Amino acid sequence: MTKVLVTGGTGYIGSHTVVELLNSGYEVVVIDNLCNSYIKVVDCIEKITGKRPTFYNTDLLDSTALEAIFNTHQDIAAVIHFAAHKAVGESVKKPIDYYKNNVGATVMLVEAMLKHKIEALVFSSSCTVYGEPDTLPVTENMPVKPPVSPYGNTKKICEEVIRDCTKAYSLHAISLRYFNPIGAHPSALIGELPIGSPNNLMPIVTQTAIGKRNKMQIHGGDYTTPDGSCIRDYIHVVDIAKAHVIAVERMLKNKSAAPYEAFNLGTGHGNSVFEVIEAFERTSGVKLNYEVGAKRPGDVMSIYSDTTLANTVLGWKADYDLDEMVISSWAWEKNIQNIYPEL
Ligand code: UDP
């Protein structure tokens, strides 16, 4: 069995990817320091797949522990690197934390991979590297813009570090640039469950619907978009997870077109915040208590992907539509209390 190391494997996208890897016959080792996820996720992954990944509660910045894991698992064939802080606002207040945890840890991880001759890396990147795009949809060869936040800058810098390493060393890497991942596994056993208060739209919608919040705000209703709210390319987390398995296979089967490649992961369609709310209210039958508030600083007005490269070169295509995304997010929200009664 081919062994894959997944950093951040108990997080939102990480856990869904571990499920897809196990279902595709891979053996999986997870490293996560549980700073923004729960150990119970490992049990839920086992419930879904019937297989338990090997789990290490380890910080990537702990070089001794990282080295011990690589020594124990000499047969790791590829690494998928998710572990990172991801709150835009927090990154503005704590840039050192973000550069150390996101960039520092990536450098250490790649160094350890090179030492142990592991030559395939999938990096969890983001459409944030495109900033406010000049034209839509966004293609991979569009200029990477000056990032609006330290968080966005860490994604840009990590991509550059990894790309430079693929030029200098025997390393192949694929950066997957996610647009807006939402939704949850159809089992409703794993989903988005950040520790503390979420900043992203979908958990705020479902938390409002279930009564964890009184009211939610639409951040800006007077953008120059058809309905005045921002437009994003929402993409089901299970579709995103499947792309990681394809990316690993691409490198392990020597199918990469170049040592470093980057692909957009989106549906190619933009939806406004009002459209997401409409889809949620219609499919759930729950009326959301919301108001239109001020614009959120740093928000891009409109962004959605051109997925031609991922469709034709990577051989990946999003399957789920917006209704399926919001239905699965709602099923997950309603099940959280059953799995985590302590929360
Ligand atoms: N949004 C909103 N209310 C919220 C959270 C988000 O109106 O409580 C909007 C936000 O302004 C953006 C969209 O929802 O237009 C997606 O935001 P999210 O934070 O999920 O992702 P982003 O694209 O900003 O990374």
Side-chain angles (χ1 to χ4, degrees):
M1 260 206 281
T2 309
K3 197 182 272 186
V4 178
L5 175 73
V6 180
T7 76
T10 50
Y12 177 39
I13 305 173
S15 57
H16 288 80
T17 300
V18 172
V19 165
E20 295 306 319
L21 285 167
L22 291 169
N23 283 342
S24 305
Y26 288 92
E27 196 178 336
V28 180
V29 177
V30 170
I31 301 182
D32 201 300
N33 67 0
L34 300 176
C35 75
N36 198 23
S37 61
Y38 297 88
I39 184 66
K40 232 184 243 182
V41 171
V42 180
D43 298 334
C44 292
I45 289 171
E46 188 178 9
K47 263 192 205 143
I48 296 169
T49 63
K51 298 171 200 163
R52 194 172 182 85
T54 306
F55 176 76
Y56 293 96
N57 179 351
T58 298
D59 195 311
L60 287 179
L61 293 170
D62 182 345
S63 55
T64 313
L66 191 61
E67 179 63 15
I69 293 169
F70 278 110
N71 280 329
T72 306
H73 301 277
Q74 302 270 1
D75 52 344
I76 290 170
V79 175
I80 306 181
H81 178 38
F82 293 104
H85 293 331
K86 61 173 186 179
V88 172
E90 185 188 55
S91 78
V92 177
K93 291 185 194 126
K94 300 178 179 174
I96 292 286
D97 284 2
Y98 274 68
Y99 287 109
K100 195 156 64 169
N101 191 63
N102 294 8
V103 180
T106 299
V107 171
M108 288 175 61
L109 177 68
V110 174
E111 191 179 26
M113 286 177 65
L114 295 171
K115 183 175 171 198
H116 291 271
K117 305 206 176 341
I118 301 162
E119 298 184 351
L121 171 65
V122 182
F123 177 62
S124 163
S125 190
S126 163
C127 68
T128 182
V129 299
Y130 298 117
E132 179 91 54
D134 297 328
T135 54
L136 289 169
V138 178
T139 59
E140 288 82 352
N141 55 19
M142 272 172 61
V144 163
K145 291 279 191 66
V148 284
S149 70
Y151 160 74
N153 205 21
T154 66
K155 289 292 168 192
K156 174 176 173 282
I157 294 170
C158 285
E159 278 207 25
E160 289 166 351
V161 167
I162 292 167
R163 191 199 55 213
D164 288 347
C165 289
T166 62
K167 287 183 190 160
Y169 310 110
S170 185
L171 176 72
H172 278 69
I174 295 179
S175 287
L176 296 176
R177 295 175 178 161
Y178 318 145
F179 280 68
N180 284 63
I182 61 170
H185 193 266
S187 63
L189 287 168
I190 53 172
E192 188 167 13
L193 188 61
I195 292 177
S197 202
N199 300 303
N200 293 89
L201 178 62
M202 206 58 227
I204 289 176
V205 164
T206 57
Q207 287 190 356
T208 307
I210 210 162
K212 288 181 183 166
R213 294 164 181 266
N214 269 338
K215 191 187 255 190
M216 63 168 289
Q217 283 216 337
I218 310 241
H219 297 321
D222 58 354
Y223 284 97
T224 53
T225 56
D227 66 17
S229 66
C230 288
I231 291 175
R232 296 287 183 274
D233 184 343
Y234 295 94
I235 164 93
H236 200 297
V237 66
V238 171
D239 276 328
I240 293 221
K242 287 178 178 166
H244 291 75
V245 181
I246 295 172
V248 164
E249 276 166 10
R250 180 172 174 83
M251 288 184 282
L252 294 184
K253 290 184 179 161
N254 294 316
K255 287 194 201 151
S256 298
Y260 180 79
E261 297 178 296
F263 296 101
N264 287 341
L265 297 186
T267 62
H269 304 290
N271 284 108
S272 70
V273 180
F274 284 118
E275 284 171 341
V276 173
I277 287 179
E278 185 281 323
F280 179 82
E281 290 186 330
R282 178 172 40 77
T283 56
S284 68
V286 178
K287 186 91 193 66
L288 275 178
N289 187 16
Y290 66 82
E291 63 186 13
V292 179
K295 286 178 179 162
R296 188 170 67 174
D299 263 348
V300 165
M301 177 170 75
S302 190
I303 187 164
Y304 51 92
S305 64
D306 183 317
T307 60
T308 309
L309 203 66
N311 298 162
T312 57
V313 177
L314 192 61
W316 167 91
K317 196 172 170 302
D319 279 333
Y320 294 93
D321 65 20
L322 184 63
D323 279 6
E324 291 167 305
M325 296 182 216
V326 297
I327 288 169
S328 65
S329 287
W330 184 223
W332 160 243
E333 180 69 62
K334 288 188 289 186
N335 205 29
I336 292 175
Q337 212 44 40
N338 298 326
I339 307 173
Y340 298 87
E342 67 278 16
L343 293 186

